[in-house]
């Protein structure tokens, strides 16, 4: 029996980022990642610090826990990680199970690994990691993923987290690389201190102001959409909401 | 010669609301409105207080002023008002002029009047006014507009500003009315004091938190997307940015 390594299941809450910003959604966070980003805000999914919380669950068990938690108070599930693209057939089964109940599926992955079930995802975010992460994405592999999704006419977008000028230049490079393909392209302001307590909205809004200035500064990024993490603005750094 | 009554032209700036939130855009604000919303944040377009600023301009003149102001630092123009749907052929010509330069067009109107050029708009927001506005939209007329756009497969959305519980119930009624048609449906938090000076982000984030609570409170609004006015969060109540 195929199983999914589940780190946490929570919701309903509001999706605060990217292409379906504002969408009411349940969240399923898978364990395990092939990256180790310096600023990873969910390092607990892969650094072993919470490994006793990981549960190996069948797609039906995850579905049932979502229904027990959310009842009929949702029609969208966001799958995030870690990197959910590390999971094969079990994820395909899980997405099909949700679709059978008319529940839409959003998924975010860094674009380091392809899965055929990407085609089933209603809103798919490919989020290559910029230099500040310390990672160095394989761009040929990324091309392959992006062009497959484009040719299939998938509803997907690119999203780059931007912390600094170097990240912005990286996003610019990617935007030029894929501009011809007219793929929705989002920038997300990095949260430089995801552990900070208290109201962090002022700091995050200042960062967004900076990023807007960069985008407005020249024509190369005319088409990109710089956005905040809304949930961090409203709820600061709380986890599980 | 057909002319457009122009109140202000500004940008490039960031579209802070609705379906293309985050999009770099130039703004053209037309003069004149068939409504008088109690909380109208652009009453200067219709209450006579700035009528000496209104310029009757040809579509080419507006286009040239946009290019003089923004150069090639934009590929999207947002037309707002007042109610830009009061304008006929001149608006059609203007939109066609922008399209000839590969510039996309967003437009917002309350849905009180149809124009055939609605079909040309790349992202069209229909924003019926809720009870707190003091207005009472004609729903048969609104049906007609919504169903025409749906049948044409226009890229459009509904957006309702919500100030209070009564507005939320109104939005719920409209959501039920159009749910079958799967139209993207946004809620926008009302800014109860658009004249307030200083940093208003705390107050606006509290209002968004309230609205998220309403949406999360039950399944009737599962599909709607409650969002802030991002520009008001980042730049407070400044005009012309
Ligand atoms: S890819 Fe995502 S989950 Fe993995 S280390 Fe980077 S930020 Fe964390
Ligand atoms: S419809 Fe818009 S422009 Fe007209 S009065 Fe209402 S808020 Fe103001």
């Amino acid at each position: 029996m195929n199983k999914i390594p589940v780190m946490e299941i929570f919701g309903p809450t509001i999706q605060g980022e990217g292409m379906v910003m504002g969408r009411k959604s349940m969240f399923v966070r898978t364990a395990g990642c092939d990256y180790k980003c310096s600023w990873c805000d969910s390092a607990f999914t892969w650094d072993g610090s919470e490994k006793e919380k990981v549960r190996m669950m069948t797609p039906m068990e995850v579905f049932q826990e979502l229904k027990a938690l959310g009842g009929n108070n949702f029609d969208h599930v966001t799958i995030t990680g870690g990197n959910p693209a590390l999971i094969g057939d079990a994820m395909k089964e899980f997405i099909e199970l949700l679709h059978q109940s008319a529940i839409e599926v959003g998924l975010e992955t860094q674009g380091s690994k392809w899965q055929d079930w990407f085609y089933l995802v209603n809103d798919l975010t490919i989020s290559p990691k910029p230099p500040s992460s310390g990672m160095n994405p394989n761009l040929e592999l990324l091309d392959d993923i992006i062009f497959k999704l484009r040719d299939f006419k998938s509803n997907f977008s690119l999203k780059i987290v931007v912390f600094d000028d170097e990240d912005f230049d990286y996003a610019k490079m990617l935007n030029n690389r894929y501009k011809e393909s007219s793929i929705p392209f989002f920038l997300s302001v990095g949260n430089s201190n995801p552990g900070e307590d208290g109201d962090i909205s002022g700091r995050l809004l200042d960062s967004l102001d900076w990023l807007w200035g960069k985008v407005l500064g020249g024509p190369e990024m005319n088409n990109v959409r710089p956005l905040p993490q809304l949930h961090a603005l409203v709820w600061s750094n709380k986890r599980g909401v």
Side-chain angles (χ1 to χ4, degrees), chain A:
Chain A
M1 177 57 97
N2 289 314
K3 297 203 175 182
I4 300 172
V6 174
M7 189 80 227
E8 52 185 3
I9 296 175
F10 61 92
T13 184
I14 301 288
Q15 167 59 267
E17 283 183 65
M19 67 193 292
V20 293
M21 181 182 266
R23 189 81 163 80
K24 186 196 288 190
S25 193
M26 299 293 293
F27 280 72
V28 176
R29 188 183 298 285
T30 62
C33 192
D34 45 330
Y35 277 20
K36 292 173 191 289
C37 299
S38 62
W39 36 250
C40 179
D41 60 3
S42 43
F44 57 92
T45 62
W46 52 263
D47 68 4
S49 61
E50 302 189 14
K51 70 167 184 285
E52 73 289 352
K53 291 195 190 147
V54 179
R55 291 180 291 158
M56 297 305 297
M57 297 171 78
T58 65
M60 182 53 86
E61 284 166 349
V62 182
F63 179 78
Q64 283 167 344
E65 190 159 318
L66 285 168
K67 290 305 282 182
L69 202 58
N72 63 347
N73 194 15
F74 69 98
D75 60 10
H76 187 272
V77 170
T78 302
I79 301 165
T80 186
N83 183 6
L86 297 179
I87 301 152
D89 284 347
M91 192 57 84
K92 176 166 183 281
E93 280 172 41
F94 178 53
I95 295 170
E96 286 169 342
L97 210 49
L98 291 167
H99 284 173
Q100 281 159 26
S101 295
I103 297 168
E104 294 192 341
V105 176
L107 190 133
E108 177 164 334
T109 176
Q110 66 262 44
S112 60
K113 190 169 166 40
W114 171 261
Q115 291 284 355
D116 283 333
W117 52 252
F118 280 2
Y119 293 137
L120 302 177
V121 176
N122 300 85
D123 44 276
L124 177 64
T125 297
I126 305 293
S127 185
K129 301 305 168 191
S132 64
S133 69
M135 300 294 111
N136 186 12
N138 179 328
L139 293 187
E140 284 70 41
L141 197 63
L142 187 65
D143 285 350
D144 192 52
I145 291 174
I146 298 292
F147 296 140
K148 267 182 175 156
L149 292 168
R150 177 197 63 187
D151 295 344
F152 190 77
K153 298 193 193 311
S154 274
N155 182 37
F156 77 111
S157 70
L158 278 155
K159 186 181 76 178
I160 317 286
V161 178
V162 174
F163 280 88
D164 54 29
D165 289 342
E166 205 186 341
D167 288 355
F168 188 79
D169 290 340
Y170 182 80
K172 209 187 265 182
M173 177 275 292
L174 286 181
N175 188 37
N176 285 328
R177 194 172 181 104
Y178 300 122
K179 209 166 224 172
E180 303 282 281
S181 306
S182 295
I183 299 158
F185 198 108
F186 295 87
L187 301 182
S188 187
V189 162
N191 179 358
S192 56
N193 188 357
E196 185 181 351
D197 284 333
D199 184 356
I200 59 172
S201 64
R203 176 166 61 74
L204 295 178
L205 288 171
D206 285 347
S207 301
L208 184 59
D209 194 9
W210 167 80
L211 186 57
W212 283 8
K214 298 281 289 183
V215 169
L216 291 173
E220 276 181 281
M221 298 292 251
N222 277 351
N223 59 307
V224 310
R225 294 168 59 183
L227 293 173
Q229 297 180 302
L230 268 191
H231 51 289
L233 280 176
V234 173
W235 290 326
S236 294
N237 283 323
K238 272 181 271 180
R239 233 176 90 187
V241 290

